[in-house]
Amino acid sequence: MTGRTQLLPSDVYDYVRSITREPAVLAELRAATAKVPHNVMQIGADQGALMALLVRLIGAKRCLELGTYTGYSALAVALALPSDGKVITCDTSAEWTAVGVPFWRKAGVSDLIELKLGPALETLDELLGAGGAYSFDFAFIDADKPNYAAYYERLLTLVRRGGLIAVDNTLALAGAPVMTQSSTNAKAMVAFNELVRKDERVEQAMLTVGEGLTLLRVR
Ligand code: CA
């Protein structure tokens, strides 16, 4: 049951999982993802529940996601949206995202999820060019780490004031804390954390859920 990249001791995390409600269709997608390479990239059920709750708490309708992988978080968010809600989710892998599509359909929310295949920076620039500035309520960054700062800058123009940007892997990558690693990805995360710590444009809190989830409220 334990996700290999969790920071919590396995017995504690197993307990968290045992008391976390995971909708059946999300559990099915998790099982399907277990056969896909890099499946440790999938968020935990507890993080999915948290993100769904946050989306409901802020009354989000329009959501953006950078890094679809097999579509678990997009589905968790879509299930929390009203029927006229929208999740635009970006990824470069047609292969991985295809795993999630049948489950989006099965859950009855495929009309709410728009998959954009291609570099996320290009999709964000397209959205800005099409008048999307300040039109999103919620955004989730869980894509290639060296681009986090660039994604963040664009999201500050795409997400409305009072909207929420959630950033994944701010504390750990593949189970190891970012400040103990020398990889390019880990260095990018440490630099990103420093960037937002000093950035007065947002209010922030770092949660130790999953591999670290930083919440940024746009001022
Ligand atoms: Ca992640």
Side-chain angles (χ1 to χ4, degrees), residues 41 43 142 145 148 168-169 211:
M41 296 203 312
I43 64 166
D142 191 14
K145 311 313 172 198
Y148 267 36
D168 204 46
N169 293 104
E211 294 206 285

Side-chain angles (χ1 to χ4, degrees), residues 1 21 40 44 61 68-69 76 88 103 122 129 153 178 204 210 213-214 216:
M1 189 190 253
R21 277 187 246 163
V40 294
K61 272 194 180 179
T68 315
Y69 184 49
I88 295 175
F103 296 91
E122 288 176 18
E153 277 305 322
V178 290
Q204 68 145 316
L213 183 69
T214 293
L216 303 167

Side-chain angles (χ1 to χ4, degrees), residues 40 43 75 89 91 107 124 136 141 190 213:
V40 294
I43 64 166
L75 179 52
T89 182
D91 207 287
L124 296 182
F136 290 90
I141 308 177
V190 169
L213 183 69

